[in-house]
Amino acid sequence: MIHTLHLTTTRRDEMIDITKEIHDLIKQEKLEDGTVIVYCPHTTAGIMIQENADPDVKHDVLMRLNEVYPWEHPKYRHAEGNTASHLKAMTVGSSQTVLVAGGRLLLGRWQGIYFCEFDGPRERTFLVKLIRG
């Protein structure tokens, strides 16, 4: 089962918690035990598992990514001018895999699944594959 979900980002860089949407799919499909793969089909966005209890973590992660990969750099050559967004997406990665048991994501106490936008605002999609067993 592959599901395509849509979201709208509102800033150039942001982390959107998508854990509830994935949990809702698990419930809808009655997946008791198995695996969930969350995949981002964009080169300037990614999927991350990170702390979701303290909103300052999102701020700090995005701040450091912006420091490591500044939007403007004199040696960037990419014609679109969004080299930093490609580098951030490469660092975060395009997918995450999470186990499911008893109908629940086996995330740690403070973990959530995030869609990470690095070239917004945009209309985006992400794919969720549910695997039984």
Side-chain angles (χ1 to χ4, degrees):
M1 296 162 264
I2 297 177
H3 299 270
T4 302
L5 287 84
H6 304 273
L7 55 82
T8 301
T9 64
T10 60
R11 295 188 302 274
R12 180 168 65 192
D13 296 303
E14 68 181 304
M15 293 169 57
I16 300 169
D17 191 340
I18 58 172
T19 311
K20 182 184 180 327
E21 288 83 351
I22 296 164
H23 176 73
D24 290 348
L25 284 176
I26 291 168
K27 190 173 182 179
Q28 172 188 319
E29 296 295 333
K30 298 180 172 86
L31 178 64
E32 282 299 311
D33 293 292
T35 307
V36 174
I37 300 169
V38 184
Y39 173 71
C40 174
H42 306 287
T43 61
T44 57
I47 303 294
M48 174 191 301
I49 294 177
Q50 193 46 259
E51 179 178 332
N52 67 353
D54 182 348
D56 288 338
V57 171
K58 291 193 306 189
H59 169 272
D60 294 349
V61 167
L62 293 174
M63 177 191 68
R64 287 297 292 141
L65 284 171
N66 283 323
E67 289 173 358
V68 172
Y69 304 118
W71 193 254
E72 294 182 17
H73 190 285
K75 294 184 180 179
Y76 287 163
R77 296 172 71 175
H78 183 46
E80 289 182 40
N82 62 353
T83 296
S85 62
H86 289 278
L87 294 169
K88 292 172 191 177
M90 176 188 68
T91 299
V92 166
S94 60
S95 67
Q96 294 290 327
T97 302
V98 182
L99 300 175
V100 175
R104 301 187 55 83
L105 292 164
L106 291 182
L107 292 168
R109 179 180 209 173
W110 307 112
Q111 288 181 320
I113 304 169
Y114 288 91
F115 183 93
C116 300
E117 174 65 76
F118 300 119
D119 197 22
R122 290 181 184 250
E123 297 294 319
R124 296 291 200 172
T125 61
F126 62 96
L127 306 174
V128 180
K129 179 160 180 68
L130 304 176
I131 303 167
R132 296 188 189 281

mmCIF file with all atom_site columns, all heavy atoms in Angstrom, residues 15-41:
data_model
loop_
_atom_site.group_PDB
_atom_site.id
_atom_site.type_symbol
_atom_site.label_atom_id
_atom_site.label_alt_id
_atom_site.label_comp_id
_atom_site.label_asym_id
_atom_site.label_entity_id
_atom_site.label_seq_id
_atom_site.pdbx_PDB_ins_code
_atom_site.Cartn_x
_atom_site.Cartn_y
_atom_site.Cartn_z
_atom_site.occupancy
_atom_site.B_iso_or_equiv
_atom_site.pdbx_formal_charge
_atom_site.auth_seq_id
_atom_site.auth_comp_id
_atom_site.auth_asym_id
_atom_site.auth_atom_id
_atom_site.pdbx_PDB_model_num
ATOM 1   N N   . MET A 1 15 ? 10.303  22.681 9.350  1.00 0.00 ? 15 MET A N   1
ATOM 2   C CA  . MET A 1 15 ? 10.104  21.274 9.685  1.00 0.00 ? 15 MET A CA  1
ATOM 3   C C   . MET A 1 15 ? 8.649   21.104 10.091 1.00 0.00 ? 15 MET A C   1
ATOM 4   O O   . MET A 1 15 ? 8.201   21.731 11.045 1.00 0.00 ? 15 MET A O   1
ATOM 5   C CB  . MET A 1 15 ? 11.039  20.859 10.829 1.00 0.00 ? 15 MET A CB  1
ATOM 6   C CG  . MET A 1 15 ? 12.510  20.877 10.451 1.00 0.00 ? 15 MET A CG  1
ATOM 7   S SD  . MET A 1 15 ? 13.636  20.691 11.877 1.00 0.00 ? 15 MET A SD  1
ATOM 8   C CE  . MET A 1 15 ? 13.109  19.138 12.584 1.00 0.00 ? 15 MET A CE  1
ATOM 9   N N   . ILE A 1 16 ? 7.927   20.250 9.375  1.00 0.00 ? 16 ILE A N   1
ATOM 10  C CA  . ILE A 1 16 ? 6.508   20.029 9.631  1.00 0.00 ? 16 ILE A CA  1
ATOM 11  C C   . ILE A 1 16 ? 6.330   18.629 10.191 1.00 0.00 ? 16 ILE A C   1
ATOM 12  O O   . ILE A 1 16 ? 6.706   17.639 9.551  1.00 0.00 ? 16 ILE A O   1
ATOM 13  C CB  . ILE A 1 16 ? 5.695   20.200 8.333  1.00 0.00 ? 16 ILE A CB  1
ATOM 14  C CG1 . ILE A 1 16 ? 5.897   21.621 7.788  1.00 0.00 ? 16 ILE A CG1 1
ATOM 15  C CG2 . ILE A 1 16 ? 4.228   19.889 8.567  1.00 0.00 ? 16 ILE A CG2 1
ATOM 16  C CD1 . ILE A 1 16 ? 5.357   21.825 6.399  1.00 0.00 ? 16 ILE A CD1 1
ATOM 17  N N   . ASP A 1 17 ? 5.747   18.539 11.371 1.00 0.00 ? 17 ASP A N   1
ATOM 18  C CA  . ASP A 1 17 ? 5.517   17.248 12.020 1.00 0.00 ? 17 ASP A CA  1
ATOM 19  C C   . ASP A 1 17 ? 4.412   16.508 11.270 1.00 0.00 ? 17 ASP A C   1
ATOM 20  O O   . ASP A 1 17 ? 3.270   16.982 11.206 1.00 0.00 ? 17 ASP A O   1
ATOM 21  C CB  . ASP A 1 17 ? 5.136   17.463 13.487 1.00 0.00 ? 17 ASP A CB  1
ATOM 22  C CG  . ASP A 1 17 ? 5.129   16.181 14.294 1.00 0.00 ? 17 ASP A CG  1
ATOM 23  O OD1 . ASP A 1 17 ? 5.049   15.082 13.707 1.00 0.00 ? 17 ASP A OD1 1
ATOM 24  O OD2 . ASP A 1 17 ? 5.186   16.282 15.535 1.00 0.00 ? 17 ASP A OD2 1
ATOM 25  N N   . ILE A 1 18 ? 4.737   15.370 10.692 1.00 0.00 ? 18 ILE A N   1
ATOM 26  C CA  . ILE A 1 18 ? 3.776   14.563 9.924  1.00 0.00 ? 18 ILE A CA  1
ATOM 27  C C   . ILE A 1 18 ? 3.457   13.247 10.627 1.00 0.00 ? 18 ILE A C   1
ATOM 28  O O   . ILE A 1 18 ? 2.832   12.357 10.038 1.00 0.00 ? 18 ILE A O   1
ATOM 29  C CB  . ILE A 1 18 ? 4.289   14.313 8.488  1.00 0.00 ? 18 ILE A CB  1
ATOM 30  C CG1 . ILE A 1 18 ? 5.652   13.613 8.495  1.00 0.00 ? 18 ILE A CG1 1
ATOM 31  C CG2 . ILE A 1 18 ? 4.328   15.624 7.687  1.00 0.00 ? 18 ILE A CG2 1
ATOM 32  C CD1 . ILE A 1 18 ? 6.144   13.163 7.115  1.00 0.00 ? 18 ILE A CD1 1
ATOM 33  N N   . THR A 1 19 ? 3.850   13.129 11.879 1.00 0.00 ? 19 THR A N   1
ATOM 34  C CA  . THR A 1 19 ? 3.649   11.888 12.629 1.00 0.00 ? 19 THR A CA  1
ATOM 35  C C   . THR A 1 19 ? 2.179   11.498 12.697 1.00 0.00 ? 19 THR A C   1
ATOM 36  O O   . THR A 1 19 ? 1.831   10.331 12.497 1.00 0.00 ? 19 THR A O   1
ATOM 37  C CB  . THR A 1 19 ? 4.223   12.019 14.058 1.00 0.00 ? 19 THR A CB  1
ATOM 38  O OG1 . THR A 1 19 ? 5.542   12.552 13.984 1.00 0.00 ? 19 THR A OG1 1
ATOM 39  C CG2 . THR A 1 19 ? 4.252   10.681 14.766 1.00 0.00 ? 19 THR A CG2 1
ATOM 40  N N   . LYS A 1 20 ? 1.301   12.453 12.981 1.00 0.00 ? 20 LYS A N   1
ATOM 41  C CA  . LYS A 1 20 ? -0.130  12.160 13.111 1.00 0.00 ? 20 LYS A CA  1
ATOM 42  C C   . LYS A 1 20 ? -0.701  11.628 11.791 1.00 0.00 ? 20 LYS A C   1
ATOM 43  O O   . LYS A 1 20 ? -1.487  10.674 11.800 1.00 0.00 ? 20 LYS A O   1
ATOM 44  C CB  . LYS A 1 20 ? -0.903  13.393 13.561 1.00 0.00 ? 20 LYS A CB  1
ATOM 45  C CG  . LYS A 1 20 ? -2.392  13.112 13.742 1.00 0.00 ? 20 LYS A CG  1
ATOM 46  C CD  . LYS A 1 20 ? -3.165  14.352 14.105 1.00 0.00 ? 20 LYS A CD  1
ATOM 47  C CE  . LYS A 1 20 ? -4.640  14.118 14.297 1.00 0.00 ? 20 LYS A CE  1
ATOM 48  N NZ  . LYS A 1 20 ? -5.290  13.119 13.499 1.00 0.00 ? 20 LYS A NZ  1
ATOM 49  N N   . GLU A 1 21 ? -0.313  12.229 10.673 1.00 0.00 ? 21 GLU A N   1
ATOM 50  C CA  . GLU A 1 21 ? -0.816  11.773 9.374  1.00 0.00 ? 21 GLU A CA  1
ATOM 51  C C   . GLU A 1 21 ? -0.413  10.326 9.116  1.00 0.00 ? 21 GLU A C   1
ATOM 52  O O   . GLU A 1 21 ? -1.194  9.534  8.595  1.00 0.00 ? 21 GLU A O   1
ATOM 53  C CB  . GLU A 1 21 ? -0.304  12.675 8.246  1.00 0.00 ? 21 GLU A CB  1
ATOM 54  C CG  . GLU A 1 21 ? -0.933  14.047 8.206  1.00 0.00 ? 21 GLU A CG  1
ATOM 55  C CD  . GLU A 1 21 ? -0.296  15.060 9.153  1.00 0.00 ? 21 GLU A CD  1
ATOM 56  O OE1 . GLU A 1 21 ? 0.552   14.676 9.987  1.00 0.00 ? 21 GLU A OE1 1
ATOM 57  O OE2 . GLU A 1 21 ? -0.655  16.239 9.051  1.00 0.00 ? 21 GLU A OE2 1
ATOM 58  N N   . ILE A 1 22 ? 0.798   9.975  9.495  1.00 0.00 ? 22 ILE A N   1
ATOM 59  C CA  . ILE A 1 22 ? 1.265   8.598  9.298  1.00 0.00 ? 22 ILE A CA  1
ATOM 60  C C   . ILE A 1 22 ? 0.541   7.650  10.248 1.00 0.00 ? 22 ILE A C   1
ATOM 61  O O   . ILE A 1 22 ? 0.100   6.563  9.854  1.00 0.00 ? 22 ILE A O   1
ATOM 62  C CB  . ILE A 1 22 ? 2.795   8.533  9.458  1.00 0.00 ? 22 ILE A CB  1
ATOM 63  C CG1 . ILE A 1 22 ? 3.439   9.377  8.348  1.00 0.00 ? 22 ILE A CG1 1
ATOM 64  C CG2 . ILE A 1 22 ? 3.288   7.093  9.417  1.00 0.00 ? 22 ILE A CG2 1
ATOM 65  C CD1 . ILE A 1 22 ? 4.868   9.729  8.583  1.00 0.00 ? 22 ILE A CD1 1
ATOM 66  N N   . HIS A 1 23 ? 0.376   8.076  11.485 1.00 0.00 ? 23 HIS A N   1
ATOM 67  C CA  . HIS A 1 23 ? -0.377  7.267  12.450 1.00 0.00 ? 23 HIS A CA  1
ATOM 68  C C   . HIS A 1 23 ? -1.811  7.046  11.951 1.00 0.00 ? 23 HIS A C   1
ATOM 69  O O   . HIS A 1 23 ? -2.353  5.933  12.070 1.00 0.00 ? 23 HIS A O   1
ATOM 70  C CB  . HIS A 1 23 ? -0.383  7.935  13.823 1.00 0.00 ? 23 HIS A CB  1
ATOM 71  C CG  . HIS A 1 23 ? -1.209  7.191  14.821 1.00 0.00 ? 23 HIS A CG  1
ATOM 72  N ND1 . HIS A 1 23 ? -0.805  6.001  15.373 1.00 0.00 ? 23 HIS A ND1 1
ATOM 73  C CD2 . HIS A 1 23 ? -2.430  7.450  15.337 1.00 0.00 ? 23 HIS A CD2 1
ATOM 74  C CE1 . HIS A 1 23 ? -1.740  5.565  16.199 1.00 0.00 ? 23 HIS A CE1 1
ATOM 75  N NE2 . HIS A 1 23 ? -2.737  6.421  16.186 1.00 0.00 ? 23 HIS A NE2 1
ATOM 76  N N   . ASP A 1 24 ? -2.433  8.091  11.387 1.00 0.00 ? 24 ASP A N   1
ATOM 77  C CA  . ASP A 1 24 ? -3.797  7.960  10.874 1.00 0.00 ? 24 ASP A CA  1
ATOM 78  C C   . ASP A 1 24 ? -3.874  6.937  9.740  1.00 0.00 ? 24 ASP A C   1
ATOM 79  O O   . ASP A 1 24 ? -4.842  6.182  9.644  1.00 0.00 ? 24 ASP A O   1
ATOM 80  C CB  . ASP A 1 24 ? -4.323  9.318  10.395 1.00 0.00 ? 24 ASP A CB  1
ATOM 81  C CG  . ASP A 1 24 ? -4.591  10.286 11.542 1.00 0.00 ? 24 ASP A CG  1
ATOM 82  O OD1 . ASP A 1 24 ? -4.586  9.856  12.714 1.00 0.00 ? 24 ASP A OD1 1
ATOM 83  O OD2 . ASP A 1 24 ? -4.782  11.488 11.253 1.00 0.00 ? 24 ASP A OD2 1
ATOM 84  N N   . LEU A 1 25 ? -2.849  6.884  8.877  1.00 0.00 ? 25 LEU A N   1
ATOM 85  C CA  . LEU A 1 25 ? -2.817  5.875  7.809  1.00 0.00 ? 25 LEU A CA  1
ATOM 86  C C   . LEU A 1 25 ? -2.714  4.464  8.371  1.00 0.00 ? 25 LEU A C   1
ATOM 87  O O   . LEU A 1 25 ? -3.368  3.539  7.878  1.00 0.00 ? 25 LEU A O   1
ATOM 88  C CB  . LEU A 1 25 ? -1.642  6.127  6.872  1.00 0.00 ? 25 LEU A CB  1
ATOM 89  C CG  . LEU A 1 25 ? -1.779  7.264  5.874  1.00 0.00 ? 25 LEU A CG  1
ATOM 90  C CD1 . LEU A 1 25 ? -0.479  7.430  5.101  1.00 0.00 ? 25 LEU A CD1 1
ATOM 91  C CD2 . LEU A 1 25 ? -2.938  7.002  4.926  1.00 0.00 ? 25 LEU A CD2 1
ATOM 92  N N   . ILE A 1 26 ? -1.891  4.311  9.392  1.00 0.00 ? 26 ILE A N   1
ATOM 93  C CA  . ILE A 1 26 ? -1.746  3.002  10.046 1.00 0.00 ? 26 ILE A CA  1
ATOM 94  C C   . ILE A 1 26 ? -3.086  2.534  10.588 1.00 0.00 ? 26 ILE A C   1
ATOM 95  O O   . ILE A 1 26 ? -3.480  1.378  10.408 1.00 0.00 ? 26 ILE A O   1
ATOM 96  C CB  . ILE A 1 26 ? -0.677  3.074  11.153 1.00 0.00 ? 26 ILE A CB  1
ATOM 97  C CG1 . ILE A 1 26 ? 0.707   3.256  10.527 1.00 0.00 ? 26 ILE A CG1 1
ATOM 98  C CG2 . ILE A 1 26 ? -0.722  1.844  12.057 1.00 0.00 ? 26 ILE A CG2 1
ATOM 99  C CD1 . ILE A 1 26 ? 1.783   3.620  11.521 1.00 0.00 ? 26 ILE A CD1 1
ATOM 100 N N   . LYS A 1 27 ? -3.788  3.458  11.222 1.00 0.00 ? 27 LYS A N   1
ATOM 101 C CA  . LYS A 1 27 ? -5.105  3.142  11.785 1.00 0.00 ? 27 LYS A CA  1
ATOM 102 C C   . LYS A 1 27 ? -6.113  2.845  10.669 1.00 0.00 ? 27 LYS A C   1
ATOM 103 O O   . LYS A 1 27 ? -6.859  1.864  10.741 1.00 0.00 ? 27 LYS A O   1
ATOM 104 C CB  . LYS A 1 27 ? -5.578  4.315  12.641 1.00 0.00 ? 27 LYS A CB  1
ATOM 105 C CG  . LYS A 1 27 ? -6.776  4.051  13.464 1.00 0.00 ? 27 LYS A CG  1
ATOM 106 C CD  . LYS A 1 27 ? -7.043  5.234  14.380 1.00 0.00 ? 27 LYS A CD  1
ATOM 107 C CE  . LYS A 1 27 ? -8.232  4.955  15.269 1.00 0.00 ? 27 LYS A CE  1
ATOM 108 N NZ  . LYS A 1 27 ? -8.496  6.053  16.184 1.00 0.00 ? 27 LYS A NZ  1
ATOM 109 N N   . GLN A 1 28 ? -6.129  3.668  9.640  1.00 0.00 ? 28 GLN A N   1
ATOM 110 C CA  . GLN A 1 28 ? -7.050  3.505  8.510  1.00 0.00 ? 28 GLN A CA  1
ATOM 111 C C   . GLN A 1 28 ? -6.855  2.160  7.821  1.00 0.00 ? 28 GLN A C   1
ATOM 112 O O   . GLN A 1 28 ? -7.823  1.493  7.452  1.00 0.00 ? 28 GLN A O   1
ATOM 113 C CB  . GLN A 1 28 ? -6.810  4.636  7.515  1.00 0.00 ? 28 GLN A CB  1
ATOM 114 C CG  . GLN A 1 28 ? -7.533  4.526  6.199  1.00 0.00 ? 28 GLN A CG  1
ATOM 115 C CD  . GLN A 1 28 ? -7.049  5.604  5.220  1.00 0.00 ? 28 GLN A CD  1
ATOM 116 O OE1 . GLN A 1 28 ? -6.841  6.738  5.581  1.00 0.00 ? 28 GLN A OE1 1
ATOM 117 N NE2 . GLN A 1 28 ? -6.872  5.205  3.968  1.00 0.00 ? 28 GLN A NE2 1
ATOM 118 N N   . GLU A 1 29 ? -5.603  1.754  7.656  1.00 0.00 ? 29 GLU A N   1
ATOM 119 C CA  . GLU A 1 29 ? -5.296  0.502  6.968  1.00 0.00 ? 29 GLU A CA  1
ATOM 120 C C   . GLU A 1 29 ? -5.239  -0.703 7.908  1.00 0.00 ? 29 GLU A C   1
ATOM 121 O O   . GLU A 1 29 ? -4.921  -1.810 7.482  1.00 0.00 ? 29 GLU A O   1
ATOM 122 C CB  . GLU A 1 29 ? -3.970  0.625  6.212  1.00 0.00 ? 29 GLU A CB  1
ATOM 123 C CG  . GLU A 1 29 ? -3.994  1.661  5.101  1.00 0.00 ? 29 GLU A CG  1
ATOM 124 C CD  . GLU A 1 29 ? -4.947  1.296  3.974  1.00 0.00 ? 29 GLU A CD  1
ATOM 125 O OE1 . GLU A 1 29 ? -5.208  0.095  3.765  1.00 0.00 ? 29 GLU A OE1 1
ATOM 126 O OE2 . GLU A 1 29 ? -5.431  2.229  3.308  1.00 0.00 ? 29 GLU A OE2 1
ATOM 127 N N   . LYS A 1 30 ? -5.483  -0.458 9.191  1.00 0.00 ? 30 LYS A N   1
ATOM 128 C CA  . LYS A 1 30 ? -5.490  -1.527 10.202 1.00 0.00 ? 30 LYS A CA  1
ATOM 129 C C   . LYS A 1 30 ? -4.188  -2.323 10.196 1.00 0.00 ? 30 LYS A C   1
ATOM 130 O O   . LYS A 1 30 ? -4.184  -3.554 10.275 1.00 0.00 ? 30 LYS A O   1
ATOM 131 C CB  . LYS A 1 30 ? -6.695  -2.439 10.009 1.00 0.00 ? 30 LYS A CB  1
ATOM 132 C CG  . LYS A 1 30 ? -8.021  -1.715 10.175 1.00 0.00 ? 30 LYS A CG  1
ATOM 133 C CD  . LYS A 1 30 ? -9.189  -2.646 9.989  1.00 0.00 ? 30 LYS A CD  1
ATOM 134 C CE  . LYS A 1 30 ? -10.483 -1.985 10.341 1.00 0.00 ? 30 LYS A CE  1
ATOM 135 N NZ  . LYS A 1 30 ? -11.128 -1.241 9.319  1.00 0.00 ? 30 LYS A NZ  1
ATOM 136 N N   . LEU A 1 31 ? -3.075  -1.589 10.105 1.00 0.00 ? 31 LEU A N   1
ATOM 137 C CA  . LEU A 1 31 ? -1.756  -2.223 10.146 1.00 0.00 ? 31 LEU A CA  1
ATOM 138 C C   . LEU A 1 31 ? -1.387  -2.459 11.605 1.00 0.00 ? 31 LEU A C   1
ATOM 139 O O   . LEU A 1 31 ? -1.188  -1.511 12.363 1.00 0.00 ? 31 LEU A O   1
ATOM 140 C CB  . LEU A 1 31 ? -0.710  -1.332 9.468  1.00 0.00 ? 31 LEU A CB  1
ATOM 141 C CG  . LEU A 1 31 ? 0.728   -1.852 9.487  1.00 0.00 ? 31 LEU A CG  1
ATOM 142 C CD1 . LEU A 1 31 ? 0.846   -3.144 8.688  1.00 0.00 ? 31 LEU A CD1 1
ATOM 143 C CD2 . LEU A 1 31 ? 1.670   -0.791 8.937  1.00 0.00 ? 31 LEU A CD2 1
ATOM 144 N N   . GLU A 1 32 ? -1.321  -3.708 12.015 1.00 0.00 ? 32 GLU A N   1
ATOM 145 C CA  . GLU A 1 32 ? -0.982  -4.048 13.398 1.00 0.00 ? 32 GLU A CA  1
ATOM 146 C C   . GLU A 1 32 ? 0.523   -4.184 13.593 1.00 0.00 ? 32 GLU A C   1
ATOM 147 O O   . GLU A 1 32 ? 1.076   -3.692 14.559 1.00 0.00 ? 32 GLU A O   1
ATOM 148 C CB  . GLU A 1 32 ? -1.686  -5.337 13.816 1.00 0.00 ? 32 GLU A CB  1
ATOM 149 C CG  . GLU A 1 32 ? -3.151  -5.138 14.157 1.00 0.00 ? 32 GLU A CG  1
ATOM 150 C CD  . GLU A 1 32 ? -3.341  -4.176 15.332 1.00 0.00 ? 32 GLU A CD  1
ATOM 151 O OE1 . GLU A 1 32 ? -2.675  -4.337 16.378 1.00 0.00 ? 32 GLU A OE1 1
ATOM 152 O OE2 . GLU A 1 32 ? -4.161  -3.255 15.178 1.00 0.00 ? 32 GLU A OE2 1
ATOM 153 N N   . ASP A 1 33 ? 1.164   -4.912 12.692 1.00 0.00 ? 33 ASP A N   1
ATOM 154 C CA  . ASP A 1 33 ? 2.603   -5.133 12.781 1.00 0.00 ? 33 ASP A CA  1
ATOM 155 C C   . ASP A 1 33 ? 3.209   -5.022 11.390 1.00 0.00 ? 33 ASP A C   1
ATOM 156 O O   . ASP A 1 33 ? 2.663   -5.546 10.423 1.00 0.00 ? 33 ASP A O   1
ATOM 157 C CB  . ASP A 1 33 ? 2.907   -6.524 13.365 1.00 0.00 ? 33 ASP A CB  1
ATOM 158 C CG  . ASP A 1 33 ? 2.470   -6.625 14.811 1.00 0.00 ? 33 ASP A CG  1
ATOM 159 O OD1 . ASP A 1 33 ? 3.082   -5.948 15.653 1.00 0.00 ? 33 ASP A OD1 1
ATOM 160 O OD2 . ASP A 1 33 ? 1.505   -7.365 15.081 1.00 0.00 ? 33 ASP A OD2 1
ATOM 161 N N   . GLY A 1 34 ? 4.343   -4.333 11.315 1.00 0.00 ? 34 GLY A N   1
ATOM 162 C CA  . GLY A 1 34 ? 4.997   -4.190 10.024 1.00 0.00 ? 34 GLY A CA  1
ATOM 163 C C   . GLY A 1 34 ? 5.985   -3.042 10.024 1.00 0.00 ? 34 GLY A C   1
ATOM 164 O O   . GLY A 1 34 ? 6.631   -2.746 11.031 1.00 0.00 ? 34 GLY A O   1
ATOM 165 N N   . THR A 1 35 ? 6.049   -2.404 8.875  1.00 0.00 ? 35 THR A N   1
ATOM 166 C CA  . THR A 1 35 ? 7.025   -1.341 8.655  1.00 0.00 ? 35 THR A CA  1
ATOM 167 C C   . THR A 1 35 ? 6.362   -0.221 7.878  1.00 0.00 ? 35 THR A C   1
ATOM 168 O O   . THR A 1 35 ? 5.518   -0.471 7.008  1.00 0.00 ? 35 THR A O   1
ATOM 169 C CB  . THR A 1 35 ? 8.217   -1.883 7.833  1.00 0.00 ? 35 THR A CB  1
ATOM 170 O OG1 . THR A 1 35 ? 8.738   -3.048 8.472  1.00 0.00 ? 35 THR A OG1 1
ATOM 171 C CG2 . THR A 1 35 ? 9.328   -0.852 7.714  1.00 0.00 ? 35 THR A CG2 1
ATOM 172 N N   . VAL A 1 36 ? 6.782   0.986  8.177  1.00 0.00 ? 36 VAL A N   1
ATOM 173 C CA  . VAL A 1 36 ? 6.341   2.162  7.421  1.00 0.00 ? 36 VAL A CA  1
ATOM 174 C C   . VAL A 1 36 ? 7.581   2.818  6.827  1.00 0.00 ? 36 VAL A C   1
ATOM 175 O O   . VAL A 1 36 ? 8.567   3.046  7.534  1.00 0.00 ? 36 VAL A O   1
ATOM 176 C CB  . VAL A 1 36 ? 5.608   3.166  8.334  1.00 0.00 ? 36 VAL A CB  1
ATOM 177 C CG1 . VAL A 1 36 ? 5.294   4.447  7.582  1.00 0.00 ? 36 VAL A CG1 1
ATOM 178 C CG2 . VAL A 1 36 ? 4.339   2.560  8.886  1.00 0.00 ? 36 VAL A CG2 1
ATOM 179 N N   . ILE A 1 37 ? 7.518   3.104  5.531  1.00 0.00 ? 37 ILE A N   1
ATOM 180 C CA  . ILE A 1 37 ? 8.577   3.866  4.878  1.00 0.00 ? 37 ILE A CA  1
ATOM 181 C C   . ILE A 1 37 ? 7.969   5.197  4.457  1.00 0.00 ? 37 ILE A C   1
ATOM 182 O O   . ILE A 1 37 ? 6.927   5.227  3.791  1.00 0.00 ? 37 ILE A O   1
ATOM 183 C CB  . ILE A 1 37 ? 9.139   3.125  3.652  1.00 0.00 ? 37 ILE A CB  1
ATOM 184 C CG1 . ILE A 1 37 ? 9.727   1.774  4.060  1.00 0.00 ? 37 ILE A CG1 1
ATOM 185 C CG2 . ILE A 1 37 ? 10.188  3.989  2.944  1.00 0.00 ? 37 ILE A CG2 1
ATOM 186 C CD1 . ILE A 1 37 ? 10.072  0.869  2.904  1.00 0.00 ? 37 ILE A CD1 1
ATOM 187 N N   . VAL A 1 38 ? 8.611   6.275  4.866  1.00 0.00 ? 38 VAL A N   1
ATOM 188 C CA  . VAL A 1 38 ? 8.170   7.618  4.484  1.00 0.00 ? 38 VAL A CA  1
ATOM 189 C C   . VAL A 1 38 ? 9.232   8.171  3.548  1.00 0.00 ? 38 VAL A C   1
ATOM 190 O O   . VAL A 1 38 ? 10.408  8.236  3.908  1.00 0.00 ? 38 VAL A O   1
ATOM 191 C CB  . VAL A 1 38 ? 8.014   8.525  5.722  1.00 0.00 ? 38 VAL A CB  1
ATOM 192 C CG1 . VAL A 1 38 ? 7.463   9.878  5.316  1.00 0.00 ? 38 VAL A CG1 1
ATOM 193 C CG2 . VAL A 1 38 ? 7.135   7.874  6.781  1.00 0.00 ? 38 VAL A CG2 1
ATOM 194 N N   . TYR A 1 39 ? 8.801   8.566  2.348  1.00 0.00 ? 39 TYR A N   1
ATOM 195 C CA  . TYR A 1 39 ? 9.737   8.966  1.299  1.00 0.00 ? 39 TYR A CA  1
ATOM 196 C C   . TYR A 1 39 ? 9.357   10.326 0.723  1.00 0.00 ? 39 TYR A C   1
ATOM 197 O O   . TYR A 1 39 ? 8.184   10.593 0.459  1.00 0.00 ? 39 TYR A O   1
ATOM 198 C CB  . TYR A 1 39 ? 9.734   7.917  0.188  1.00 0.00 ? 39 TYR A CB  1
ATOM 199 C CG  . TYR A 1 39 ? 10.535  8.311  -1.020 1.00 0.00 ? 39 TYR A CG  1
ATOM 200 C CD1 . TYR A 1 39 ? 11.925  8.349  -0.976 1.00 0.00 ? 39 TYR A CD1 1
ATOM 201 C CD2 . TYR A 1 39 ? 9.900   8.666  -2.199 1.00 0.00 ? 39 TYR A CD2 1
ATOM 202 C CE1 . TYR A 1 39 ? 12.668  8.729  -2.091 1.00 0.00 ? 39 TYR A CE1 1
ATOM 203 C CE2 . TYR A 1 39 ? 10.631  9.042  -3.320 1.00 0.00 ? 39 TYR A CE2 1
ATOM 204 C CZ  . TYR A 1 39 ? 12.009  9.075  -3.251 1.00 0.00 ? 39 TYR A CZ  1
ATOM 205 O OH  . TYR A 1 39 ? 12.733  9.453  -4.347 1.00 0.00 ? 39 TYR A OH  1
ATOM 206 N N   . CYS A 1 40 ? 10.356  11.154 0.501  1.00 0.00 ? 40 CYS A N   1
ATOM 207 C CA  . CYS A 1 40 ? 10.178  12.477 -0.092 1.00 0.00 ? 40 CYS A CA  1
ATOM 208 C C   . CYS A 1 40 ? 10.720  12.462 -1.522 1.00 0.00 ? 40 CYS A C   1
ATOM 209 O O   . CYS A 1 40 ? 11.922  12.277 -1.712 1.00 0.00 ? 40 CYS A O   1
ATOM 210 C CB  . CYS A 1 40 ? 10.925  13.517 0.737  1.00 0.00 ? 40 CYS A CB  1
ATOM 211 S SG  . CYS A 1 40 ? 10.928  15.150 0.002  1.00 0.00 ? 40 CYS A SG  1
ATOM 212 N N   . PRO A 1 41 ? 9.864   12.686 -2.544 1.00 0.00 ? 41 PRO A N   1
ATOM 213 C CA  . PRO A 1 41 ? 10.321  12.647 -3.929 1.00 0.00 ? 41 PRO A CA  1
ATOM 214 C C   . PRO A 1 41 ? 10.806  14.005 -4.455 1.00 0.00 ? 41 PRO A C   1
ATOM 215 O O   . PRO A 1 41 ? 10.619  14.324 -5.625 1.00 0.00 ? 41 PRO A O   1
ATOM 216 C CB  . PRO A 1 41 ? 9.066   12.186 -4.676 1.00 0.00 ? 41 PRO A CB  1
ATOM 217 C CG  . PRO A 1 41 ? 7.950   12.811 -3.907 1.00 0.00 ? 41 PRO A CG  1
ATOM 218 C CD  . PRO A 1 41 ? 8.402   12.769 -2.461 1.00 0.00 ? 41 PRO A CD  1
#
